[in-house]
Amino acid sequence: MNISYNWLKKYIDFDLTPDEVAAALTSTGLETGSVEEVESIRGGLRGIVIGKVLTCVEHPNSDHLHITTVDLGDGEATQIVCGAPNVAAGQTVVVATVGTTLYGAEGEEFQIKKSKIRGVESFGMICAEDEIGVGNSHDGIIVIAEDVKPGTPAAEYFGLTSDYVLEVDLTPNRIDAASHYGVARDLGAWLSCHAKPGNLTRPSVEAFAIEAPEGGVKVRVDNTEACPRYSGVTITGVTVKESPKWLQDLLSAVGLRPINNIVDITNYLLHAMGQPLHCFDIDKIGGGEVIVRNAEQGAKFVTLDGVEHTLDSRDLMICNTREPMCIAGVFGGLDSGVTESTTSVFLESAYFNPTSVRKTARRHGLNTDSSFRFERGVDPNNTTYVLHLAALMVKELAGGTITGPEIDIYPSVIEPAEVTLDFDYATRLVGKHIPSDTMIAILKSLEMEIVNAGEKDVTVKVPTYRVDVTRPCDVVEDILRIYGYNNVEISSTVHSSLSYKSREDEENRLRDLISEQLCGEGFNEILNNSLTREAYYADLEQMSAGHCVRLLNPLSNDLNVMRQTLLFGGLESASHNINRRESDLLMYEFGNVYIFNPEAKGNPEAVLAPYRQHSRLGIWMSGLIRQPSWARPAAEVTFYDLKAVVANILRRLGISASEIKYTTSANEIYAAGLDISTRSGKQIGSLGILAKKILNKADIKQAVMYAELDWNTLVGLSVKKKVTFAALPKTQAVKRDLALLLDKNITMERVEATVRASEKRLLKDISLFDVYEGRNLPEGKKSYAITLTLQDDEKTLQDKQIEAVMSKVITNLTKQLGAELR
């Protein structure tokens, strides 16, 4: 939100610089990101001075140019060639000196240089109004009063002043500061505690009065729940015209485009007092009555920006007797606004239910200055004050008569909240003793009414504009932000019991360990949004849309559910890179997934029972894993590369290959894949080549390998492991090969399990180095060639030991798998 430094001074007296104001606001919780100077005239008239024309003669080579000499206050006569028809000796004029930059109406700029005009040297330019931005006339040069001293800066003569715009970043709870007066209120509280107190003043509305008791617009509120308060007043006989310069300058400073005096007043007061206003042309209020009611389902409505919206029956509308005129608190209609032909207006100042406004704005994808404030909660007890202020400004800037009766429909008054603060509680929460009188003084400076102040506590009435202050801890926060967080000393000692190696610490350590390993293998870590689109799950069965955790008020259809898998976020990242010719991708992500189980729904005592959150590790590989070079060709990523990456992760976590079981996956996301589990049946994850229908969702044409591992399960398995280190064995390993003839349905997994069960102490490794099916083999058979590695860490193996192990292995393979030696 932009705050004008000059505008701020209309409500509070202070002598702080703009940077000092920014620092003070930041300390109160209104973080100010930048301070920028804003010039009412671009360039600030730098290099432009007042001059006195000493002589003026006609140019010998032109019938419309003149050669002048001008006193610029430096004691010399400066020669300037001028083409204005009204230039003459003795005039006091405005001169742009050599080196000055001037700016045109369209933003173009040019620099005044020493030049020759028709053979005569010229050292500056005598200016017209439009050439320096002080007016629109180009009929001739500016001629000013003769008593102005030559050399006087033009900025000084025209009374040009700069403004400064402070960019204040509001947190969602501080809507009370979404105005210049709201910011001034916080600044005043800070000044009263840390510097010379500022005199906070609010414009008076005592002059407001109904001048004609009859003839005002009638109002009816049908939905008082969505519109708890509606105020309005009629002003007849107004003249719509351009706003005065002071108003245009203030609006321009905060980034608003001046439109006309009536509309500018409503925009001004929104940014001045935080209360949105709307102004209706009375001639466009059919039937002379304003009706606040819900829309008809499916009705069409065109907003001020020319966009047609289909209304919902839950949308609150401001209507006349024939049709809707405005989406309440959000956006005005195309045909109800003020134009140059408007002569009578109806000013609306209302309080709309924040939830109602927020839902309507989201339904129609609208976000306006009004909806921003209404949906966070404006002050319901400030509507009539701002309405009176607006009426007085309309009379001042547009004329007219305030016509009655004044409308104020407020059936249920919203009272200030009462909060009791215990001083000892405040001390414990802050960590420092703040004197009770200091706390009470700060509360008063924040316009909180002191109901009762005792020795141990204080009871306050919180103004209704402070929707975020409802509990004692909120009051303490308000006190502390004004008192100053930096004024609370940090103790040099910590009194705490630190648990040794908690599960969370171990999980973070393991995550860092695996991240380092993957980065060392060339992977890049990615981080995607937990919100995703429901359409990803529309045609899936195992991860159907029915298992998605849905948002009640999604920002868009692309972010309407929580992700069930890390897969699609990574594919979006992959697509983004591939579309920018970065097709060789190695990526990983640690993140949470969220699953809804509709079968667990129904128990009112376990509302969260259907919802589950899991931590996962996702791995994506695509494109080339090895770039081509003179020594070797390029190599594309394969399924086995991904399996090796996963195997290395498991091994790094202390989970041995003998504990892992791979089975063919039936997961529909894979064209070919494996499910990973422990031999006891605990699921670890899956890996495989993604199916084309999955890749099509992200518009990816190249193959992508993907693995998703259950990180919680991996951590649980890893923390049970004790990684120890031992010296390398002093003995040599022995290798023996076996060629086995097996049935085709026998997998290598069963072979390995049988061999490992036959010998657990001496068997160090088993590997498959050849598979053969085809000629010279019986029907339905295949051949496996495997290598067994045997080793005793303490002594060299003897032939008898080796033969005994091999005999036992062969016997078990024969009996259990029907294997034959080839």
Side-chain angles (χ1 to χ4, degrees), residues 536 570-585 587 622 695-702 704:
Y536 281 140
L571 289 182
E572 289 178 356
S573 299
S575 176
H576 180 87
N577 281 275
I578 292 169
N579 291 338
R580 287 156 181 79
R581 299 187 179 182
E582 290 290 340
S583 56
D584 304 328
L585 303 171
M587 306 184 301
S622 187
L695 297 177
N696 289 340
K697 292 175 182 286
D699 196 23
I700 296 176
K701 307 301 181 186
Q702 65 187 52
V704 178

Side-chain angles (χ1 to χ4, degrees), residues 483-499:
Y483 180 77
Y485 293 101
N486 292 336
N487 291 329
V488 178
E489 298 80 5
I490 299 175
S491 175
S492 58
T493 58
V494 177
H495 303 283
S496 177
S497 298
L498 300 177
S499 59

Side-chain angles (χ1 to χ4, degrees), residues 487-705:
N487 291 329
V488 178
E489 298 80 5
I490 299 175
S491 175
S492 58
T493 58
V494 177
H495 303 283
S496 177
S497 298
L498 300 177
S499 59
Y500 174 71
K501 222 172 191 180
S502 67
R503 170 66 181 256
E504 184 178 352
D505 293 337
E506 185 65 9
E507 182 176 346
N508 290 336
R509 185 189 70 81
L510 293 175
R511 180 175 294 198
D512 290 342
L513 184 73
I514 298 306
S515 291
E516 288 177 2
Q517 175 167 315
L518 289 171
C519 289
E521 293 181 25
F523 281 79
N524 291 300
E525 184 173 11
I526 60 175
L527 182 64
N528 288 297
N529 199 336
S530 296
L531 302 179
T532 186
R533 64 181 71 175
E534 183 182 357
Y536 281 140
Y537 305 94
D539 57 350
L540 300 180
E541 295 182 5
Q542 293 156 317
M543 294 187 292
S544 67
H547 291 285
C548 289
V549 177
R550 303 175 185 277
L551 302 186
L552 293 178
N553 297 298
L555 295 174
S556 68
N557 289 332
D558 288 341
L559 299 171
N560 59 345
V561 297
M562 306 291 284
R563 62 187 178 188
Q564 292 187 56
T565 172
L566 302 180
L567 170 62
F568 296 113
L571 289 182
E572 289 178 356
S573 299
S575 176
H576 180 87
N577 281 275
I578 292 169
N579 291 338
R580 287 156 181 79
R581 299 187 179 182
E582 290 290 340
S583 56
D584 304 328
L585 303 171
L586 301 176
M587 306 184 301
Y588 75 94
E589 178 181 9
F590 286 97
N592 291 330
V593 299
Y594 310 87
I595 299 169
F596 171 71
N597 180 10
E599 296 177 0
K601 192 175 182 181
N603 184 357
E605 297 181 0
V607 179
L608 298 180
Y611 300 94
R612 290 290 181 269
Q613 174 180 306
H614 303 280
S615 185
R616 299 281 173 81
L617 167 60
I619 302 170
W620 297 260
M621 300 178 72
S622 187
L624 299 180
I625 196 170
R626 185 177 70 216
Q627 297 297 323
S629 70
W630 64 270
R632 55 188 180 180
E636 288 191 3
V637 169
T638 67
F639 169 87
Y640 300 101
D641 292 316
L642 177 60
K643 187 181 178 187
V645 169
V646 172
N648 287 338
I649 290 172
L650 299 176
R651 187 174 181 182
R652 189 67 179 272
L653 292 172
I655 305 169
S656 66
S658 61
E659 299 176 72
I660 300 302
K661 180 180 179 181
Y662 296 93
T663 56
T664 302
S665 177
N667 196 321
E668 60 194 315
I669 70 171
Y670 297 121
L674 295 175
D675 289 331
I676 313 168
S677 63
T678 63
R679 295 200 174 273
S680 62
K682 183 172 291 186
Q683 293 298 314
I684 292 177
S686 63
L687 62 93
I689 306 170
L690 289 175
K692 284 188 177 179
K693 75 170 186 177
I694 300 298
L695 297 177
N696 289 340
K697 292 175 182 286
D699 196 23
I700 296 176
K701 307 301 181 186
Q702 65 187 52
V704 178
M705 313 298 150

Side-chain angles (χ1 to χ4, degrees), residues 69 86 391 492 496 589 596 632 637 709 732 737 760 768 788:
T69 57
N86 64 327
S492 58
S496 177
E589 178 181 9
F596 171 71
R632 55 188 180 180
V637 169
L709 307 178
Q732 292 292 326
D737 295 340
K760 296 181 179 179
L768 176 69
L788 279 63

Side-chain angles (χ1 to χ4, degrees), residues 77-119:
T78 301
Q79 181 171 284
I80 299 175
V81 177
C82 179
N86 64 327
V87 65
Q91 291 175 335
T92 302
V93 295
V94 179
V95 179
T97 59
V98 173
T100 300
T101 300
L102 298 181
Y103 303 89
E106 302 299 325
E108 68 277 7
E109 58 183 66
F110 63 95
Q111 191 176 54
I112 303 299
K113 300 178 181 178
K114 173 186 174 182
S115 60
K116 277 190 177 183
I117 302 177
R118 298 284 181 94

